[in-house]
Amino acid sequence: NNWILITFDNKKYWLRKDDVLKTIDLNSEVQSYNKPIILIKNKVLFKLPSYGSNTSLSLDPQIVQSVRKYKNWYSIQFKSSEYWVSNSSVITNFNPEKINKTYKLLTDKSGYSIPYSSSQVFTTVPKNALVKGEEIWKDWVLIKYNENRYWLKIDNTLVENEV
């Protein structure tokens, strides 16, 4: 009658319906977002935009495509399902620009998985290497090196090379 079964924190509970519970139509309140976002730390995935709907799934730091937004939550597709991540430890203003430039490294340089200095270093690009820049965002450039892509911090050790 006046009770509703809910799932919170992967457990089932019965709550009495009263003025405290409010039904929402999530689909009507969600905005289309369709932009890449950067997860700068491991992120727990949620079934709904609510901390009580956590799953046992998480994603490593990476760039992912967000599909929808609800308040401070972003939906992503993972394993053919929609999941939500909170906006903490997420960069949402990621809008790299396509470029076609060649750079020369004046020193060995760390190549990162995402444009974030605290992220995991995936390779070291050696001094005097010529690399092709594909995208630029703030003070980061996405380069191709040994058939892989890495983000390099732009500074005076990375110079544009005239080819």
Side-chain angles (χ1 to χ4, degrees):
N1 288 337
N2 286 332
W3 292 84
I4 186 167
L5 180 63
I6 64 157
T7 303
F8 181 80
D9 206 13
N10 290 323
K11 296 178 186 143
K12 300 224 182 264
Y13 298 93
W14 283 96
L15 294 179
R16 185 164 173 80
K17 288 183 183 179
D18 56 21
D19 291 339
V20 176
L21 292 177
K22 175 185 153 192
T23 302
I24 66 165
D25 180 4
L26 192 59
N27 288 327
S28 70
E29 296 187 36
V30 170
Q31 301 169 341
S32 178
Y33 194 69
N34 203 23
K35 295 180 184 176
I37 59 175
I38 303 174
L39 311 179
I40 60 175
K41 294 187 178 179
N42 285 6
K43 293 294 292 178
V44 172
L45 301 180
F46 295 84
K47 288 302 281 177
L48 294 169
S50 163
Y51 287 110
S53 68
N54 60 314
T55 67
S56 59
L57 300 172
S58 66
L59 290 177
D60 294 331
Q62 61 186 280
I63 298 169
V64 295
Q65 185 69 27
S66 177
V67 180
R68 303 187 310 157
K69 181 180 185 228
Y70 175 75
K71 295 184 179 178
N72 294 325
W73 292 83
Y74 297 87
S75 76
I76 61 170
Q77 292 293 315
F78 180 69
K79 294 187 176 181
S80 301
S81 295
E82 180 182 45
Y83 291 96
W84 293 84
V85 294
S86 68
N87 71 341
S88 65
S89 302
V90 171
I91 296 173
T92 59
N93 65 342
F94 181 62
N95 52 353
E97 177 186 326
K98 298 275 187 213
I99 61 169
N100 185 12
K101 295 182 178 180
T102 301
Y103 295 92
K104 181 177 181 178
L105 281 69
L106 301 180
T107 63
D108 291 353
K109 204 155 185 55
S110 296
Y112 295 89
S113 60
I114 59 175
Y116 188 71
S117 296
S118 298
S119 69
Q120 182 178 355
V121 174
F122 274 87
T123 195
T124 299
V125 182
K127 177 181 178 178
N128 294 323
L130 293 176
V131 295
K132 180 172 170 38
E134 297 180 348
E135 293 183 5
I136 195 165
W137 179 69
K138 294 190 176 185
D139 56 350
W140 290 89
V141 63
L142 179 65
I143 58 105
K144 188 170 185 179
Y145 175 71
N146 283 345
E147 300 305 313
N148 293 307
R149 287 173 175 75
Y150 305 100
W151 287 94
L152 301 181
K153 187 82 166 157
I154 298 172
D155 58 23
N156 60 359
T157 65
L158 182 70
V159 294
E160 204 171 323
N161 193 53
E162 300 297 324
V163 180

